[in-house]
Amino acid sequence: MFEIVEGAKTARTYDPITYSIKRELAEAKVATANSVRVSLGWKSGRYQNPNARPSRDFAGTGALPITFHATLLRGGNKILLRASPGGLNTFFSAKGACVETSARLEQLIDP
């Protein structure tokens, strides 16, 4: 979920990883916001995998952030979300649909 004010350079986002670590909403940088699309990006809280073990190929097992990029196409409210875990040369993506609401993020979060 994200909340953007027209003309603002930042947005507030809710993602379960950041919220579970920081107990607060994450601030996202708005890259594009026009009548066609909204694109934004943010980093999660530093996630520590409790099962992480160092290896020859990946020595870092400390807490790493996850970088998120979201692009919302306003015409059909379609969204593409990409997540890139810190320290890995890969990303995960998902497509979906959004519902626009006038409610504040705090009203939609069920902790």
Side-chain angles (χ1 to χ4, degrees), residues 80-91:
L80 172 64
L81 178 66
R82 291 175 51 143
S84 189
L88 299 179
N89 292 330
T90 189
F91 69 89

Side-chain angles (χ1 to χ4, degrees), residues 36-64:
V36 177
R37 74 172 187 249
V38 174
S39 295
L40 47 100
W42 71 97
K43 287 192 178 199
S44 73
R46 299 181 74 76
Y47 174 73
Q48 174 68 50
N49 181 348
N51 298 320
R53 301 288 179 262
S55 70
R56 179 188 58 156
D57 297 325
F58 185 65
T61 58
L64 299 171

Side-chain angles (χ1 to χ4, degrees), residues 14-22 44-47 66 68:
Y14 167 80
D15 73 74
I17 294 171
T18 301
Y19 198 79
S20 70
I21 295 167
K22 295 182 173 180
S44 73
R46 299 181 74 76
Y47 174 73
I66 299 172
F68 290 98

